[in-house]
Amino acid sequence: SKRGTGPVTTNTYIRCLQAFVNWMLELEYIERRIKLPKQKTEKRLRRVLSPEDVEKLFHFKPRRPDGERIHAACILMLDCGLRASEWINLKLEDLDLKIRMVRVMGKGRKEREVPMSEQTVRVLANYLAARPVEHDLVFATKNGTPLLKRNAGHMIKRMAVACGIPPASIGLHGCRHTMATQYIAAGGSVVYLKEILGHANIATTMQYVHAQEADIRRDHTKHSPIAKMK
């Protein structure tokens, strides 16, 4: 920290040291748990897509098979809040388009089932019907191997540009954040959202229960005493 390393990077080192200290306690090299304090960091609002941007992505018409693949993956992320690793490794047997459910293997090898909307089922069905080669993986490469996260990230940003969306406003994890944020903003249950996202602790899900800038402006216009003046 004294050398000028930022608090976020410093906290990354601290987390590694904390894991080592916890390991020493588990093997009884130390007698009590040592809690390493983290540095304070600036609170930043998560960057999420607007409802208008989501609509642009949904109605986007790809012209190439790889574009159809990343478009279907993007819609699945925005509808179900999947992590990148979850949809990248998704198999055909994990999809049940009839009952609109997808079986996901999440962190810690924990399996969960997530509902899909009818719109997402249509996008997936059209994508799968048009795939030039059949593979066990839903979003496989031409060789049947999983996509690399880095390449998938580049693809989704190129699609965003084609839709007129700033590429900096979208990413693999950003789609998950967008789904969660808009789910809560629309009145969704934080308890149900926890199960959809596969969080182990509801405190992690609670981070999405925050007011967005547009919501604050709208509510301010409605309730401010000055805004009512004519």
Side-chain angles (χ1 to χ4, degrees):
S1 180
K2 290 180 180 178
R3 293 200 304 266
T5 303
V8 174
T9 303
T10 301
N11 285 340
T12 302
Y13 290 118
I14 291 173
R15 281 195 297 271
C16 297
L17 289 172
Q18 185 68 64
F20 176 65
V21 170
N22 294 344
W23 174 80
M24 288 197 297
L25 176 64
E26 183 178 344
L27 296 185
E28 298 182 350
Y29 286 113
I30 56 178
E31 295 181 353
R32 62 181 180 82
R33 185 172 185 268
I34 300 173
K35 177 68 174 178
L36 302 178
K38 293 183 180 180
Q39 292 196 345
K40 291 184 178 181
T41 57
E42 293 181 2
K43 183 180 179 181
R44 297 182 180 179
L45 290 177
R46 294 184 182 277
R47 183 173 291 178
V48 297
L49 296 169
S50 67
E52 292 77 18
D53 288 339
V54 173
E55 186 174 359
K56 289 178 182 177
L57 287 169
F58 179 77
H59 292 293
F60 178 67
K61 302 297 182 185
R63 298 181 178 179
R64 298 175 53 184
D66 58 343
E68 293 176 349
R69 179 182 58 196
I70 198 62
H71 178 254
C74 179
I75 298 305
L76 183 63
M77 281 189 287
L78 289 169
D79 189 31
C80 303
L82 302 190
R83 300 179 179 93
S85 59
E86 293 172 347
W87 67 261
I88 284 175
N89 294 297
L90 198 65
K91 296 182 179 179
L92 288 173
E93 62 187 28
D94 298 324
L95 286 178
D96 193 327
L97 301 184
K98 290 184 179 180
I99 63 172
R100 296 191 282 115
M101 296 293 288
V102 54
R103 185 170 63 247
V104 180
M105 186 63 69
K107 285 185 176 180
R109 303 295 297 173
K110 292 182 179 179
E111 189 176 278
R112 71 184 190 278
E113 290 193 338
V114 181
M116 294 181 287
S117 67
E118 292 182 7
Q119 291 84 346
T120 296
V121 168
R122 288 202 303 268
V123 171
L124 287 173
N126 292 336
Y127 157 69
L128 292 172
R131 284 201 309 177
V133 183
E134 186 74 14
H135 296 298
D136 290 337
L137 291 172
V138 177
F139 302 104
T141 64
K142 293 180 180 179
N143 300 323
T145 57
L147 283 171
L148 296 177
K149 287 185 181 180
R150 180 180 65 255
N151 293 342
H154 292 327
M155 292 175 188
I156 201 170
K157 287 184 180 297
R158 286 199 296 269
M159 182 174 63
V161 172
C163 293
I165 300 171
S169 64
I170 191 172
L172 297 181
H173 218 59
C175 289
R176 178 173 162 91
H177 293 323
T178 295
M179 180 273 171
T181 300
Q182 294 196 17
Y183 184 96
I184 292 296
S189 165
V190 67
V191 176
Y192 292 159
L193 181 61
K194 171 184 175 294
E195 299 303 318
I196 291 172
L197 297 179
H199 288 156
N201 194 319
I202 199 168
T204 307
T205 318
M206 288 297 295
Q207 66 184 309
Y208 296 107
V209 185
H210 61 263
Q212 294 297 298
E213 183 180 345
D215 299 326
I216 296 174
R217 288 201 305 267
R218 184 166 53 250
D219 205 58
H220 177 269
T221 301
K222 183 178 179 181
H223 298 292
S224 168
I226 298 299
K228 298 176 182 178
M229 299 298 162
K230 296 181 179 180

